[in-house]
Amino acid sequence: MDHELQQLIVKAKKGDQDSFSELIQRYKRKVFRHAFAMVHDQMEAEDITQEAFVKAYFSMDHLKEEFAFSSWLTKIVANLCYDRIKKREKQPQLQMDPEQTELIADTQSEVENLQLKISLQLAMQKLTPGHRTVIVLRDIQGFSYQEIADILEIPEGTVKSRINLARKELRKELLRG
Amino acid sequence: MHEEINGLLSAYADDELGSKQRKEVEKHMSVCGECRDEVAQLLELKTLLSSTYEELEMKNSNMEQMVLARIRSESAHEPQSSRGGVAAALAGAMILIAFLWFASSVITKGIHVGVTLTSISFSLIRSAFSVAGALPNLLEIFLVLALIVLLASGWSVRRLLDTKSTG
Ligand SMILES: [Zn+2]
């Protein structure tokens, strides 16, 4: 972790809002991506992002080590996403509009590429929140198995087997289309 | 062998295997086309995942200001009221403890001294409150101090009463 970032976190812990604002600027994309990959809804993901930072600000006291800021923040986001998904379990899932694809893409390969990405997002929505979470943490956020174990408070062996299962599920859903 | 190795391929694609297991997987892959294909597909899936979600952006361009505005509005009214609740609960508990403390001595050894001491403890609590009220940030500290004073006075009272009844 670079020294500047550490200083920002130390100052934010003391309640300095300018430093916290800079932390938001640094981490907002990461937080948003996580939320989006969990809920697949632009507005809701932005709302979760906002809520995560507000929550983080008021619980900075609980952050024991500055170097763990990223994991700690991710834990907050992961929990928020879980709660949201639980609340809306019965609601219909958002579907992508295939016509939109043709508007953005020009060439055949671009169309195929976009369709693949849309299929992936649809397949991700079919996974259980637990499976989706480990995929997000590993392949979208790039955390190590050890870090994921710390974030989710589960053994590393469980992380390993859960990622393995989640990917099998995801590939099955992708092939199903 | 194939089944056993197959379960490790996901962790292999993540480069999360120890060197011993990694070598076993590589040895098996050199003879098993199925496992080789699966690793290739896993790596493709990983790339697809990161590229799909990497390019997503927020529409909201002033996230920082919105978060800070919410922080300010929440810290404007929240802490004071919750602090008041905690203070009230603490004060209630203190009065109860003080009473229980005195009760055993007072009831058995004479009401006269007890009444005096109870009124002393009340004025202590009252003064603690007025000081704490002037400095809301230090409310908890004063309450704890008041509790200590109360306990100390209670202890000296018991001693006093003991001396009185024996003497
Ligand atoms: Zn094999």
Side-chain angles (χ1 to χ4, degrees), chain A residues 17 20-21 24-25 28-29 32-33 36-37 40 42 46-47 49-51 53-54 57-58 113-114 116-117 120-121 124 135 138-140 143-146 156 160 163-164 167-168 170-171 174, chain B residues 6-17 21 37-38 41-42 45-46 48-68 70-72 74-75 78:
Chain A
Q17 298 195 345
F20 193 72
S21 177
I24 300 173
Q25 207 192 330
K28 63 182 180 183
R29 265 169 224 94
F32 169 73
R33 247 171 247 151
F36 187 90
H40 292 93
Q42 181 83 21
E46 293 194 14
D47 198 40
T49 307
Q50 209 185 103
E51 203 180 328
F53 283 114
V54 172
Y57 182 84
F58 286 113
N113 194 14
L114 255 170
L116 189 58
K117 285 176 177 174
L120 179 75
Q121 292 189 32
M124 279 285 276
I135 299 242
R138 177 64 208 193
D139 291 328
I140 297 167
F143 285 110
S144 72
Y145 284 14
Q146 180 59 60
E156 207 181 318
K160 196 189 254 184
I163 288 176
N164 186 29
R167 285 191 180 135
K168 282 206 163 81
L170 187 59
R171 282 163 72 200
L174 262 176
Chain B
N6 198 264
L8 297 173
L9 296 183
S10 190
Y12 175 78
D14 283 333
D15 199 13
E16 287 272 1
L17 289 181
Q21 280 187 317
D37 284 350
E38 192 164 338
Q41 282 173 22
L42 281 166
L45 181 66
K46 283 168 65 65
L48 179 63
L49 274 161
S50 65
S51 70
T52 298
Y53 291 97
E54 203 164 60
E55 55 198 34
L56 296 167
E57 289 293 343
M58 275 187 282
K59 294 214 168 78
N60 179 354
S61 56
N62 61 338
M63 181 58 72
E64 290 86 345
Q65 290 91 317
M66 285 177 79
V67 171
L68 289 181
R70 249 176 86 175
I71 286 170
R72 280 185 203 117
E74 279 184 33
S75 49
E78 205 185 87

Side-chain angles (χ1 to χ4, degrees), chain A residues 30 67-68 70-72 74-75 137-138 141-154 156 159, chain B residues 16:
Chain A
K30 203 172 153 73
F67 70 83
S70 178
S71 299
W72 175 80
T74 303
K75 192 187 273 190
L137 292 174
R138 177 64 208 193
Q141 305 286 36
F143 285 110
S144 72
Y145 284 14
Q146 180 59 60
E147 287 167 325
I148 296 171
D150 290 342
I151 290 168
L152 300 179
E153 294 173 25
I154 53 175
E156 207 181 318
V159 172
Chain B
E16 287 272 1

Side-chain angles (χ1 to χ4, degrees), chain A residues 25-161:
Chain A
Q25 207 192 330
R26 285 192 184 212
Y27 286 94
K28 63 182 180 183
R29 265 169 224 94
K30 203 172 153 73
V31 171
F32 169 73
R33 247 171 247 151
H34 183 124
F36 187 90
M38 290 301 292
V39 300
H40 292 93
D41 179 272
Q42 181 83 21
M43 290 297 285
E44 194 173 11
E46 293 194 14
D47 198 40
I48 291 171
T49 307
Q50 209 185 103
E51 203 180 328
F53 283 114
V54 172
K55 219 169 172 173
Y57 182 84
F58 286 113
S59 46
M60 286 293 272
D61 288 346
H62 300 298
L63 173 66
K64 295 284 176 272
E65 293 125 350
E66 284 84 27
F67 70 83
F69 180 75
S70 178
S71 299
W72 175 80
L73 182 62
T74 303
K75 192 187 273 190
I76 293 175
V77 186
N79 287 334
L80 280 176
C81 290
Y82 248 93
D83 293 345
R84 297 268 184 141
I85 291 166
K86 241 183 233 160
K87 265 187 213 156
R88 65 161 196 189
E89 209 121 56
K90 291 275 152 64
Q91 286 173 33
Q93 298 276 3
L94 251 128
Q95 296 293 317
M96 311 267 165
D97 182 6
E99 274 177 38
Q100 228 180 347
T101 325
E102 280 142 44
L103 291 176
I104 316 164
D106 297 326
T107 66
Q108 185 60 30
S109 72
E110 270 179 66
V111 172
E112 276 169 19
N113 194 14
L114 255 170
Q115 275 166 350
L116 189 58
K117 285 176 177 174
I118 288 168
S119 307
L120 179 75
Q121 292 189 32
L122 291 171
M124 279 285 276
Q125 291 181 53
K126 302 258 170 62
L127 296 186
T128 63
H131 281 172
R132 219 180 304 162
T133 301
V134 288
I135 299 242
V136 169
L137 292 174
R138 177 64 208 193
D139 291 328
I140 297 167
Q141 305 286 36
F143 285 110
S144 72
Y145 284 14
Q146 180 59 60
E147 287 167 325
I148 296 171
D150 290 342
I151 290 168
L152 300 179
E153 294 173 25
I154 53 175
E156 207 181 318
T158 311
V159 172
K160 196 189 254 184
S161 59

Side-chain angles (χ1 to χ4, degrees), chain B:
Chain B
M1 192 64 188
H2 169 79
E3 282 304 310
E4 200 182 304
I5 295 290
N6 198 264
L8 297 173
L9 296 183
S10 190
Y12 175 78
D14 283 333
D15 199 13
E16 287 272 1
L17 289 181
S19 63
K20 191 170 164 254
Q21 280 187 317
R22 195 179 64 233
K23 272 172 200 153
E24 280 174 31
V25 170
E26 279 163 358
K27 199 174 150 200
H28 174 77
M29 270 169 42
S30 68
V31 294
C32 179
E34 201 184 315
C35 284
R36 264 202 310 274
D37 284 350
E38 192 164 338
V39 168
Q41 282 173 22
L42 281 166
L43 291 172
E44 234 171 80
L45 181 66
K46 283 168 65 65
T47 309
L48 179 63
L49 274 161
S50 65
S51 70
T52 298
Y53 291 97
E54 203 164 60
E55 55 198 34
L56 296 167
E57 289 293 343
M58 275 187 282
K59 294 214 168 78
N60 179 354
S61 56
N62 61 338
M63 181 58 72
E64 290 86 345
Q65 290 91 317
M66 285 177 79
V67 171
L68 289 181
R70 249 176 86 175
I71 286 170
R72 280 185 203 117
S73 82
E74 279 184 33
S75 49
H77 30 255
E78 205 185 87
Q80 214 53 40
S81 61
S82 73
R83 202 172 263 166
V86 172
L90 262 174
M94 273 167 49
I95 291 167
L96 189 68
I97 289 167
F99 265 121
L100 288 173
W101 187 279
F102 291 130
S104 59
S105 310
V106 169
I107 290 165
T108 54
K109 292 174 184 166
I111 289 162
H112 177 71
V113 183
V115 168
T116 319
L117 287 167
T118 312
S119 70
I120 290 171
S121 75
F122 267 121
S123 60
L124 263 171
I125 291 171
R126 229 175 285 129
S127 63
F129 261 114
S130 63
V131 180
L135 295 158
N137 284 338
L138 295 170
L139 194 56
E140 288 92 341
I141 297 166
F142 275 102
L143 284 170
V144 171
L145 277 176
L147 183 64
I148 292 165
V149 170
L150 265 175
L151 290 174
S153 66
W155 178 76
S156 58
V157 167
R158 285 183 72 111
R159 275 190 55 130
L160 226 147
L161 284 168
D162 284 345
T163 334
K164 205 180 165 193
S165 60
T166 49

